Amino acid sequence: MDDAYLWLEDVTGETALDWVRARNAETTATYAGDEAFTALEGRIRAVLDTDARIPYVTPRGGFLYNFWKDAAHPRGLWRRTTVTSYRTESPEWDVLIDLDALAAAEDENWVWSSARVLRPAHDRVLVALSRGGADAVVVREFSVLRRAFVEPTDGGFHLTEAKTDIDWIDDDTVYVGTDLGTGSLTDSGYPRLALRWRRGTPIEDATTVYAGERSDVAVSAWHDRTVGFERGFVSRAVDFFNSELYLIGPGDALTRIDVPTDASVSVEREWLLIRLMTPWEVDGTEHPAGALLAAPFDAYRGGDRTLYLVFAPDDHTALHQYVWTRHHLLMVVLRDVTSSVLVASPGPGGFTTVTMDGLPTLTDIAVVGTDPDADDEGHDSGDAFFLNASGYLTPATLLRGDLRGTTDLEVLRRSPSFFDASGLRVGQYFATSADGTSIPYFVVGRPHAAAGPTLLYGYGGFEISLTPAYSGAMGLAWLERGGTYVVANIRGGGEYGPSWHTQVLRGGRHKVHEDFAAVASDLVARGITSAGQLGAQGGSNGGLLMGIMLTRYPELFGALVCQVPLLDMRRFHLLLAGASWVAEYGDPDDPAEWEFIRGYSPYQNIAPGRESRPYPPVLITTSTRDDRVHPGHARKMAARLAETGQPVAYYENIEGGHGGAADNRQLAFKTALAYEFLWQKLSH
């Protein structure tokens, strides 16, 4: 079809931004202009800013690093403390970078991205800062001892804004991939070249270690500085789910690690780990999709194909996360989307596995920190770890354990409750999709209550699992009001292992939509809600899902919230990072693949008018600074819906990146706007 709104893809063009400002004003006046909204926004902001939140930490070299935002520091503080101090009620934090002060001094809208600390001295740091929350960052070297950035004139590493990949090799050398002009990036906008860059030399003189193809997603290089296991690696991502891993040898000779390209591969000390996406036969033994295999790395490189099975999935169980400590492997396992933790220990004949005791039940558990290179002395054991546990109605608990000795878990922090959960319950149900597949979903609300406003959340892509987790903002903005909250574990995620995802790639995408529609219908059939009181929300790939619900299943919903979405699937691969997602959705330039894509692409399937097919009201939100999913998707969809007379509200945050907000103030407003819109439309 002819695209009358192509001009809205001009991200920062004044004509397009004038259109954005006008739509923002309309939406703000309608949904954010009264005292009730202001009060809700204030309560959400208080949750985001409160000092009662858990300051999550990253252990490195005897210190615990944390990035912290609050009302006094909206951009944030990068700081550190010790384990001993962290155990106290009021830790003594050593502030390394005050981002608010830096932004004010440099007149920049800096948003924190990351910090890569140089081992073992832990003085020099590669700090990545973005403008307004974009994926593109400015990289600057920082000295912890001097509490100052190391300027390029003093030999400091510095890179201008780009989607940069960088890692320390030694005190004076890094691996880097960045935008060096024509030919240096892939079609997806990520680095195509892996370079070795020496301190004090121009980036243009850096040595090329590996050059990928323009059609690749990205190329990256990194260095393992573990004492006794120093080595470099290059990864070439051929597409979003297939990559090649190379060991960098003397003279930059590259040796490819012979593993399936669609497997997740990592090397830690003497061990190679291979997590399979699809079945793999080795020496007559077929290993199933979702299995985790281990092999001694040097022996494997030498041709020995002895593989140890560390984890085997079944119909109800999948590996969700795995993280090394110094001598053990922690594995978070989902069984029907509820968590447990296994400890796998290598020995002469393979791995032995035990279940970790003492964990809260019916919660989502995640490993949030280990430091395998820490000294095995005092509180710096390389087998120490941090776990976080929370549930829909259970505030987060931060636990610390140490596999070096006792298996007891220490409670370090508990988050307070941010909403009244009295009378609320969590239930799990299963809906039957169009092809007969059983789809689990969680319902949070008051049991036996009359049908009422219900919010259904979904994602369904890229093997991202939706696990039970506490949200103070959702609780006070939705549950406290009397709403019911539902999370659908539809295919496309990883809740039941890789096949839960791989079966919906490309031409199988319709199963994602059918699963979500099946859950929506099941909620009505069970009397939990009615179609007119059922809302749905999703962002990014979940925003695409909302666009499909709007245009293909409008009769199932009373309102929708569609955030930072993909919507024009005819052009998604031409916009920003879109080319990297062809492996997920298919190639619109291939006539055979466009045939199934155009069947669901929301922008191409908008009804000609409300009289032909009425849609439920929809709020579409995005960010001008989102350099991952182009804001043109959201803009064009909103404009086209308005043209055809469908009820649509639109809001675009000028900052925020793909997350949609650059600080807690913006996040509170965006969150309150979504819940207020849904409540107005569904509470009737």
Side-chain angles (χ1 to χ4, degrees):
M1 73 177 193
D2 292 333
D3 192 349
Y5 295 105
L6 200 62
W7 57 276
L8 285 170
E9 291 183 6
D10 184 3
V11 176
T12 57
E14 277 306 309
T15 303
L17 286 178
D18 284 345
W19 179 92
V20 167
R21 295 183 187 104
R23 303 292 82 70
N24 284 356
E26 293 170 358
T27 299
T28 301
T30 304
Y31 300 104
D34 60 16
E35 293 182 2
F37 176 87
T38 301
L40 177 62
E41 180 186 15
R43 290 188 68 196
I44 294 173
R45 176 74 183 273
V47 168
L48 298 174
D49 282 342
T50 178
D51 290 341
R53 288 174 294 127
I54 295 175
Y56 292 101
V57 292
T58 300
R60 288 291 180 270
F63 291 100
L64 303 179
Y65 291 84
N66 164 261
F67 187 73
W68 180 261
K69 295 179 181 179
D70 57 26
H73 309 94
R75 295 187 183 274
L77 304 171
W78 187 51
R79 57 189 190 171
R80 70 181 186 183
T81 188
T82 64
V83 173
T84 300
S85 182
Y86 191 71
R87 280 193 166 108
T88 66
E89 187 173 335
S90 300
E92 295 182 4
W93 291 102
D94 178 13
V95 175
L96 305 177
I97 297 177
D98 181 333
L99 200 57
D100 294 271
L102 181 69
E106 298 181 350
D107 193 25
E108 290 276 12
N109 61 337
W110 290 131
V111 174
W112 185 261
S113 181
S114 66
R116 194 173 292 269
V117 180
L118 175 63
R119 297 169 182 265
H122 299 276
D123 171 36
R124 296 301 176 95
V125 184
L126 295 170
V127 174
L129 305 173
S130 85
R131 292 184 173 94
D135 284 354
V137 295
V138 172
V139 176
R140 299 162 67 176
E141 185 176 357
F142 181 80
S143 170
V144 172
L145 295 178
R146 291 167 46 193
R147 297 298 196 272
F149 286 99
V150 184
E151 298 302 325
T153 52
D154 295 325
F157 289 109
H158 187 284
L159 290 167
T160 56
E161 188 175 49
K163 293 183 179 180
T164 295
D165 178 77
I166 191 167
D167 190 36
W168 291 105
I169 299 175
D170 56 37
D171 294 14
D172 296 311
T173 322
V174 296
Y175 285 127
V176 64
T178 192
D179 186 355
L180 296 177
T182 303
S184 63
L185 300 179
T186 66
D187 292 337
S188 298
Y190 297 105
R192 186 182 70 85
L193 307 176
L195 310 170
R196 181 187 293 103
W197 184 23
R198 184 80 178 167
R199 182 186 300 281
T201 63
I203 183 66
E204 292 77 13
D205 293 344
T207 301
T208 298
V209 177
Y210 186 86
E213 301 295 328
R214 283 281 303 272
S215 58
D216 292 341
V217 171
V219 168
S220 63
W222 65 95
H223 188 75
D224 185 348
R225 289 175 56 84
T226 303
V227 176
F229 298 93
E230 296 87 348
R231 55 206 166 191
F233 294 93
V234 166
S235 175
R236 174 200 177 198
V238 181
D239 62 33
F240 206 88
F241 306 112
N242 289 271
S243 61
E244 299 170 353
L245 180 66
Y246 297 87
L247 177 68
I248 305 173
D252 290 339
L254 299 178
T255 302
R256 182 175 169 189
I257 310 304
D258 183 20
V259 294
T261 59
D262 63 350
S264 297
V265 183
S266 61
V267 182
E268 177 72 22
R269 295 182 181 265
E270 67 267 39
W271 290 104
L272 169 70
L273 290 183
I274 307 166
R275 193 247 183 176
L276 299 179
M277 287 285 288
T278 50
W280 184 35
E281 183 176 329
V282 181
D283 293 342
T285 299
E286 183 171 283
H287 302 284
L292 182 66
L293 307 173
F297 181 58
D298 288 338
Y300 190 91
R301 285 199 303 121
D304 186 342
R305 288 299 177 263
T306 301
L307 296 168
Y308 300 115
L309 181 63
V310 185
F311 174 84
D314 59 35
D315 290 343
H316 294 272
T317 307
L319 183 60
H320 182 56
Q321 183 190 23
Y322 51 99
V323 180
W324 280 103
T325 68
R326 173 63 182 85
H327 300 97
H328 307 274
L329 187 67
L330 297 173
M331 298 186 295
V332 179
V333 173
L334 298 181
R335 182 169 183 81
D336 287 329
V337 207
T338 59
S339 301
S340 62
V341 177
L342 306 180
V343 181
S345 305
F351 284 69
T352 58
T353 302
V354 297
T355 301
M356 185 178 292
D357 296 324
L359 291 171
T361 59
L362 300 176
T363 58
D364 173 59
I365 301 169
V367 182
V368 293
T370 65
D371 187 10
D373 293 332
D375 297 330
D376 287 338
E377 299 176 2
H379 297 306
D380 296 332
S381 166
D383 285 321
F385 60 90
F386 295 85
L387 298 178
N388 188 67
S390 74
Y392 290 120
L393 301 177
T394 308
T397 298
L398 181 64
L399 304 146
R400 184 180 185 272
D402 193 332
L403 298 170
R404 176 183 53 174
T406 177
T407 58
D408 293 341
L409 293 171
E410 173 190 5
V411 176
L412 290 180
R413 294 283 188 279
R414 293 187 190 274
S415 176
S417 297
F418 291 111
F419 61 89
D420 182 5
S422 58
L424 298 175
R425 298 291 183 272
V426 179
Q428 188 181 44
Y429 301 89
F430 293 82
T432 302
S433 194
D435 64 356
T437 301
S438 186
I439 309 300
Y441 64 93
F442 289 100
V443 176
V444 188
R446 288 167 175 78
H448 313 302
T454 298
L455 174 56
L456 172 60
Y457 185 84
Y459 186 79
F462 298 93
E463 206 184 345
I464 294 174
S465 302
L466 299 183
T467 52
Y470 190 83
S471 169
M474 183 277 294
L476 65 87
W478 193 256
L479 295 176
E480 271 195 6
R481 285 179 166 184
T484 298
Y485 184 67
V486 181
V487 174
N489 299 114
I490 56 180
R491 282 174 287 185
E495 289 88 343
Y496 288 98
S499 64
W500 201 243
H501 171 240
T502 55
Q503 63 183 290
V504 306
L505 295 178
R506 296 181 181 260
R509 200 78 201 164
H510 61 93
K511 298 174 185 177
V512 177
H513 323 143
E514 292 165 358
D515 289 358
F516 199 74
V519 173
S521 297
D522 202 58
L523 288 167
V524 175
R526 292 180 187 274
I528 294 172
T529 190
S530 64
Q533 291 184 297
L534 177 59
Q537 181 180 15
S540 191
N541 174 76
L544 169 61
L545 178 63
M546 294 304 105
I548 294 165
M549 292 302 108
L550 182 73
T551 53
R552 290 181 61 106
Y553 300 93
E555 68 282 354
L556 296 182
F557 301 96
L560 297 166
V561 172
C562 177
Q563 298 168 309
V564 289
L566 289 88
L567 294 166
D568 181 356
M569 300 304 287
R570 186 69 186 89
R571 288 178 52 76
F572 83 90
H573 62 314
L574 305 177
L575 302 172
L576 298 176
S580 65
W581 308 320
V582 167
E584 178 87 6
Y585 303 119
D587 183 358
D589 290 338
D590 181 327
E593 298 202 337
W594 172 240
E595 188 63 25
F596 60 72
I597 296 171
R598 76 184 179 110
Y600 69 77
S601 180
Y603 190 58
Q604 278 73 31
N605 282 281
I606 296 174
R610 185 160 179 78
E611 66 284 351
S612 63
R613 192 173 196 190
Y615 292 164
V618 59
L619 169 65
I620 301 175
T621 67
T622 190
S623 163
T624 309
R625 289 291 294 169
D626 188 348
D627 55 353
R628 192 180 313 173
V629 176
H630 197 289
H633 286 278
R635 294 174 178 180
K636 296 196 301 180
M637 187 76 175
R640 180 93 174 104
L641 288 170
E643 175 195 334
T644 59
Q646 301 285 5
V648 56
Y650 182 86
Y651 185 81
E652 180 175 321
N653 193 22
I654 303 302
E655 293 185 319
H658 192 52
D663 56 35
N664 288 346
R665 176 186 60 82
Q666 295 173 12
L667 181 57
F669 177 86
K670 183 193 75 165
T671 303
L673 180 66
Y675 285 121
E676 184 61 26
F677 171 84
L678 288 166
W679 193 257
Q680 285 192 27
K681 301 303 181 184
L682 302 177
S683 60
H684 50 74

